[in-house]
Amino acid sequence: MDEIMRPIALVTGGSAGIGLEIAKLLAADGHDLIVTGISPRVHDAAEALRACGGKVTAVQSDLSRPEGVQQVVEAVQAAGRLDVMVLNAGIAVGGAFLDNALERHLNLIDLNIGSTVRLCHALVPDLIRTQGKILMVSSVSAMAPTPYESVYGPSKAFMSSFGHGLREELRGTGVNVTILHPGATATEFHHRAGMDATVFGDNSWKNDPVLVARQGVEAMMAGVTSLIGGDEATQRIGEERKDLSEEEKARRHAEKARPPKTR
Ligand SMILES: NC(=O)c1ccc[n+]([C@@H]2O[C@H](COP(=O)([O-])OP(=O)(O)OC[C@H]3O[C@@H](n4cnc5c(N)ncnc54)[C@H](OP(=O)(O)O)[C@@H]3O)[C@@H](O)[C@H]2O)c1
């Protein structure tokens, strides 16, 4: 008798934060998983995700590098099919633009933009074969200037715009692209960005990654184009932003992202 094929989902940055919560939901929904992370703990995350009963492959690789992307592509090729691709791994670099080495900004671009383009170019053909789904984890920062994380917001604006364009090109193929724009979310993200001393560094007021992940997965499954991830206050802020000038949005972002010494 033929073995029943379970759908396979790739979740980049599935070892922590929003990506781990998305991976848990997809595992509970009957997907086998390929989860990626930059550190060895992706193997612990994979072990925990196996409790849902599916097959879970862990890939430890640096997605800011072409070789790291290639490792993920090879894992998908070894799995033999791809039904869901969640592009979630991403970083910010906190602090004033000139206070950070150029290399840190370029590394952010290589991860947030470069890996998005590389993975789509390599794996969208697999998704066309299965009429699969893409979830891009962008940010509300895509919709505003982000002083003191100056390259981050533009990198997410790229992702959102790229996602909308790709969605249109894929019309009629059965592949759907959903773009999730989370508001500030309580993960390791701002700590990793070196922003502990800023308002964003305090996780107590931020969105629950479980909520943001659920909203994203439900939207992807329903074929929604674009959404803001987070609680009612986050949704309200997202709506209000539409009427603000770029200058005002930049000022408001700086209030939360500016390190104390430059206030
Ligand atoms: N948290 C927020 O406030 C917020 C708001 C809006 C949008 N987002 C977006 O949500 C996404 C997930 O962020 P998060 O908050 O869940 O962050 P997080 O808790 O810091 O998790 C980041 C994930 O990305 C992986 N990663 C980091 N650098 C990598 C690299 N060079 N190559 C491969 N993997 C790498 C990490 O792997 P390890 O576990 O091995 O370190 C981890 O799995 C990001 O794209 C971020 O821009 C976050």
Side-chain angles (χ1 to χ4, degrees):
M1 202 170 73
D2 280 352
E3 204 183 322
I4 295 169
M5 290 291 280
R6 287 165 56 92
I8 300 183
L10 165 66
V11 184
T12 69
S15 57
I18 297 169
L20 177 57
E21 297 306 327
I22 289 173
K24 285 181 194 167
L25 291 169
L26 292 172
D29 191 45
H31 291 74
D32 285 346
L33 293 172
I34 300 167
V35 287
T36 89
I38 192 171
S39 71
R41 71 174 167 173
V42 69
H43 299 288
D44 300 331
E47 191 54 44
L49 288 163
R50 281 182 198 113
C52 290
K55 188 175 173 210
V56 185
T57 304
V59 183
Q60 184 189 345
S61 77
D62 181 353
L63 289 176
S64 69
R65 302 169 68 88
E67 320 76 92
V69 173
Q70 187 54 31
Q71 275 177 259
V72 174
V73 172
E74 283 167 15
V76 172
Q77 284 165 350
R81 63 181 282 143
L82 186 64
D83 298 272
V84 170
M85 177 165 74
V86 182
L87 298 180
N88 163 79
I91 54 164
V93 172
F97 176 65
L98 290 180
D99 289 348
N100 281 290
L102 176 62
E103 285 313 313
R104 294 198 68 206
H105 296 306
L106 296 178
N107 178 254
L108 180 158
I109 291 169
D110 289 340
L111 177 62
N112 296 8
I113 297 179
S115 73
T116 299
V117 175
R118 286 176 193 281
L119 285 169
C120 284
H121 202 264
L123 297 177
V124 166
D126 296 74
L127 290 161
I128 290 173
R129 274 192 283 281
T130 58
Q131 302 200 326
K133 296 174 172 32
I134 301 173
L135 177 63
M136 295 194 182
V137 183
S138 178
S139 170
V140 291
S141 291
M143 304 161 184
T146 54
Y148 303 102
E149 306 173 80
S150 50
V151 183
Y152 173 68
S155 76
K156 290 296 177 175
F158 174 92
M159 184 185 228
S160 295
S161 181
F162 175 66
H164 283 296
L166 193 59
R167 181 185 165 99
E168 178 58 27
E169 286 190 26
L170 292 173
R171 187 185 292 275
T173 64
V175 179
N176 186 62
V177 181
T178 298
I179 305 154
L180 171 65
H181 299 90
T185 304
T187 67
E188 299 168 12
F189 178 78
H190 290 103
H191 172 67
R192 199 188 289 266
M195 297 177 73
D196 283 351
T198 70
V199 176
F200 280 125
D202 174 8
N203 264 354
S204 66
W205 61 272
K206 291 191 265 184
N207 287 292
D208 183 345
V210 176
L211 169 70
V212 172
R214 197 182 67 235
Q215 290 169 327
V217 170
E218 285 177 358
M220 174 180 69
M221 292 305 181
V224 170
T225 308
S226 170
L227 73 154
I228 288 176
D231 60 13
E232 278 178 28
T234 305
Q235 304 291 337
R236 231 181 3 258
I237 290 167
E239 280 305 309
E240 281 167 10
R241 275 190 177 182
K242 291 179 184 162
D243 298 324
L244 297 177
S245 67
E246 295 303 302
E247 289 90 335
E248 180 57 18
K249 285 189 281 189
R251 196 190 62 72
R252 291 188 187 189
H253 189 90
E255 271 175 13
K256 288 183 174 154
R258 190 184 289 122
K261 67 177 167 49
T262 52
R263 271 187 195 152

